[in-house]
Amino acid sequence: MSETSTRKGSDFEQQLDKSDTRVAEFSGHGRTPLQHLQHFLHGNPTMVPVIVLLVGIGIFGSLIGGRFFNAFTMTLILQQVAIVGIVGVAQTLIILTAGIDLSVGAIMVLSSVIMGNLAVVNGVPAPLALLIGFAVGTFCGAVNGVLVAKVKLPPFIVTLGMWFVFEAVNFIYTQNATIRAQDVEAAAPLLQFLGNTFQIGGAVFTYAVVSVLLLVALFYYILNNTAWGRHVYAIGDDEDAARLSGISSSRVLISVYAVSGLICAFAGWALIGRIGSVSPTSGYEANIQAITAVVIGGTSLFGGRGSVIGTLVGALIVGVFAMGLRIYGTDPQWTRLTVGALIILAVAADQWIRKVSA
């Protein structure tokens, strides 16, 4: 019996000696140029919006010439997209976790009116009013996070409902009254600080522009070099796998929404600097504009892929097309049409790029 088994084992080994000994290769040999481009864009999601931005600048530069290609126009675009860029950073954090926040604009405005009313109407020192506004924004974001992470409600439904709640609180608290820019300047000029300008050559910058650049740099570092940032990407890529690997997904999600609320409150401060006054009806499109910047900037609505730099580039793309079409003299509706087309193209490009991992 044992002799038969030994012979069979020898036969098996003899068959193995005749088998193919070549090692399988996975280096991408045989890919078409289109597949190489697909893999490159999958590994570098920011490149798509950068290419679109450069194409947009090239088109309007050739059509309009010197009126578009000058330092003042370029920095004016930066000034106009600064607030969208700040709110876009907050929205990027949420979307990276495969969520969405429709209440970011309402949190921004609510925080700004609380800062303004405390400092101008109630006589609270401006630095303390700012801190209270930041705390309110953080609290609003944390409430969203708890409802999403603990109560397990869909982010879209939670933030849609809280959008209306925050907006109603805003109008009840302010009685729909606007605080004039002169009153803000006299009682609490610190609230207008981010709207102050300084000049470098022919370029005019506001401190809000500097702030958004620093904010993007800060969160680019955090998302790519800290455990918290890696957990954000991991949850967005596969929440169940992240939880099985030991990540407390609920804690990370609540912290993401809270940080997003804090950033929105900071945007509220920048909003006062931008318009000078404190108005409960300002910035009502900020949430849609922020989502637009995030999507055009290459962050996937399915979570786990994207960057805050892409969001800033996405905001710049919208700014460049809006400014270029305005200077060219087109109807304002062409801007909305162009932005709508860019959103659809961005999502289509994301779907195509994601097929690499399918």
Side-chain angles (χ1 to χ4, degrees):
M1 183 68 180
S2 59
E3 186 178 345
T4 303
S5 300
T6 303
R7 189 169 58 250
K8 286 182 178 178
S10 300
D11 292 344
F12 176 71
E13 291 175 358
Q14 289 174 1
Q15 292 298 322
L16 282 179
D17 292 339
K18 300 175 183 176
S19 63
D20 192 349
T21 57
R22 290 177 298 175
V23 178
E25 295 181 357
F26 302 94
S27 61
H29 178 71
R31 287 179 190 162
T32 65
L34 193 61
Q35 289 172 326
H36 278 290
L37 175 64
Q38 193 178 19
H39 279 76
F40 172 75
L41 295 177
H42 186 268
N44 302 275
T46 308
M47 287 308 297
V48 174
V50 168
I51 293 171
V52 174
L53 178 63
L54 294 176
V55 170
I57 293 175
I59 290 174
F60 290 113
S62 60
L63 289 175
I64 303 171
R67 284 190 298 156
F68 185 79
F69 267 132
N70 61 70
F72 179 78
T73 302
M74 292 291 116
T75 49
L76 185 59
I77 293 172
L78 279 173
Q79 291 179 35
Q80 292 179 342
V81 304
I83 293 175
V84 174
I86 295 172
V87 180
V89 171
Q91 190 67 261
T92 304
L93 297 178
I94 303 293
I95 291 181
L96 282 176
T97 65
I100 195 166
D101 192 345
L102 299 177
S103 67
V104 287
I107 295 175
M108 175 186 73
V109 179
L110 178 61
S111 301
S112 73
V113 299
I114 287 176
M115 293 172 188
N117 278 271
L118 287 176
V120 179
V121 179
N122 303 114
V124 174
L128 181 58
L130 283 176
L131 292 177
I132 294 174
F134 292 158
V136 169
T138 306
F139 175 76
C140 292
V143 170
N144 283 338
V146 170
L147 291 174
V148 170
K150 293 294 186 182
V151 188
K152 302 297 182 184
L153 296 177
F156 182 89
I157 300 301
V158 168
T159 56
L160 177 63
M162 296 309 289
W163 176 10
F164 291 114
V165 170
F166 297 146
E167 201 171 63
V169 171
N170 169 23
F171 286 115
I172 293 171
Y173 174 67
T174 62
Q175 296 296 306
N176 203 16
T178 298
I179 302 175
R180 298 183 308 164
Q182 303 93 310
D183 297 333
V184 177
E185 185 177 5
L190 178 63
L191 297 185
Q192 297 176 332
F193 170 74
L194 293 179
N196 294 339
T197 60
F198 62 95
Q199 194 165 348
I200 301 176
V204 180
F205 297 91
T206 63
Y207 290 104
V209 171
V210 178
S211 298
V212 69
L213 295 177
L214 292 176
L215 192 70
V216 167
L218 174 65
F219 276 92
Y220 178 81
Y221 176 83
I222 290 174
L223 287 171
N224 291 281
N225 296 281
T226 67
W228 185 82
R230 288 189 287 273
H231 292 172
V232 170
Y233 279 104
I235 290 173
D237 197 40
D238 190 332
E239 184 175 353
D240 292 334
R243 192 182 303 112
L244 290 173
S245 66
I247 297 173
S248 175
S249 60
S250 59
R251 187 181 303 171
V252 174
L253 279 174
I254 293 172
S255 67
V256 166
Y257 278 87
V259 171
S260 171
L262 174 61
I263 297 171
C264 291
F266 184 78
W269 183 19
L271 179 65
I272 298 175
R274 175 70 180 163
I275 64 177
S277 60
V278 178
S279 171
T281 58
S282 58
Y284 65 95
E285 285 190 337
N287 54 347
I288 301 300
Q289 292 171 338
I291 293 172
T292 301
V294 174
V295 172
I296 294 177
T299 296
S300 174
L301 286 172
F302 300 98
R305 200 171 65 86
S307 76
V308 289
I309 293 179
T311 297
L312 179 60
V313 176
L316 287 172
I317 290 172
V318 176
V320 164
F321 276 83
M323 178 66 74
L325 290 171
R326 191 179 311 150
I327 295 176
Y328 193 66
T330 60
D331 189 290
Q333 295 306 319
W334 280 101
T335 302
R336 299 177 70 86
L337 187 150
T338 305
V339 171
L342 286 173
I343 292 173
I344 294 172
L345 288 174
V347 174
D350 177 61
Q351 293 276 25
W352 177 67
I353 293 169
R354 285 177 68 87
K355 289 180 181 176
V356 168
S357 57

